[in-house]
Amino acid sequence: QVQLVESGGGLVQAGGSLRLSCAASVRTFSSYTSGWFRQAPGKEREFVAHISRSGGNTYYADSVKDRFTISRDNAKNTMYLQMNSLKPEDTAVYYCGAAPWPRVEVGKYDFWGQGTQVTVSS
């Protein structure tokens, strides 16, 4: 069984920062590629960021590339999303996802967390 639990969401003013965490209940998190999606009310879920198993390669949606940073700590079985310079359009439920070896495709995950709400006020 694989469980992913997001945390760290909340309400923040535009220009502020939040750090999201995704705790993975797996034996060896280094065996999983992972990333973040988000879904705003009335919109489809969209890709945000991806990180390779070792953390050596990262990929970002253009809308967040210069503001968000994805990282992971495999020893802690945890992935992070540091969000800076937040904008109202970043308001969404953020979901973490993961996929086990041998899947390595960006944005393609087999397991998902329940999501954490991020609200950015004007």
Side-chain angles (χ1 to χ4, degrees), residues 14-87:
S17 299
L18 285 174
R19 184 177 178 85
L20 305 184
S21 297
C22 174
S25 297
V26 296
R27 185 171 183 177
T28 307
F29 192 44
S30 60
S31 297
Y32 293 79
T33 188
S34 61
W36 296 88
F37 274 65
R38 68 186 182 185
Q39 187 169 27
K43 297 184 178 180
E44 295 184 354
R45 189 173 297 193
E46 66 173 345
F47 170 76
V48 176
H50 171 92
I51 189 165
S52 61
R53 295 184 300 275
S54 67
N57 298 100
T58 58
Y59 304 86
Y60 299 92
D62 289 341
S63 59
V64 308
K65 190 172 184 178
D66 296 322
R67 300 182 295 118
F68 292 9
T69 302
I70 189 171
S71 63
R72 65 191 297 161
D73 186 339
N74 287 331
K76 298 182 181 296
N77 282 7
T78 303
M79 177 178 65
Y80 306 96
L81 184 68
Q82 178 66 46
M83 305 185 295
N84 299 325
S85 301
L86 283 163
K87 304 175 181 180

